Amino acid sequence: MWAGHMILSPVKVLFALMHTTLCSLVGLVTLAIDPSKGDWMMWNVGKRLWSMPLIRRIVGASLSVEIHPDTKRLAQQGKGCVLVANHTRLLDINAAFAASPLPIVFLS
């Protein structure tokens, strides 16, 4: 069952909120110290520190990502690419961070 359909216990919700707050503070402090670290912050804080542990350890969902070879080649060229996701669930942003082969920026 996808985590977007799971009902989390109040304890897990509290842990998720505390974890998100801590990661947000780390990201804000990092950018306050060195604004040029945006990609580093999005990759290391957004993906590795916030999204992946939140999905796996707090929510308890597994995450499996398959990237099309053409997409992987584009990502490795370092020219940038646009990934489009449909944001319909609470954890979609975390799933996008965890699944993306590159540091990402969200537009709305």
Side-chain angles (χ1 to χ4, degrees), residues 19-79:
H19 181 73
T20 297
T21 301
L22 174 67
C23 293
S24 298
L25 289 172
V26 168
L28 289 171
V29 169
T30 300
L31 291 176
I33 292 170
D34 188 354
S36 69
K37 294 285 187 192
D39 282 349
W40 180 92
M41 193 273 303
M42 294 297 274
W43 189 254
N44 289 293
V45 176
K47 179 176 183 155
R48 293 185 179 149
L49 182 65
W50 179 50
S51 293
M52 294 177 90
L54 183 71
I55 289 172
R56 289 183 181 146
R57 294 188 186 112
I58 296 173
V59 174
S62 62
L63 180 66
S64 176
V65 178
E66 293 180 26
I67 300 172
H68 191 277
D70 292 342
T71 304
K72 191 177 280 190
R73 256 191 310 280
L74 283 172
Q76 290 170 344
Q77 290 176 3
K79 296 180 181 178

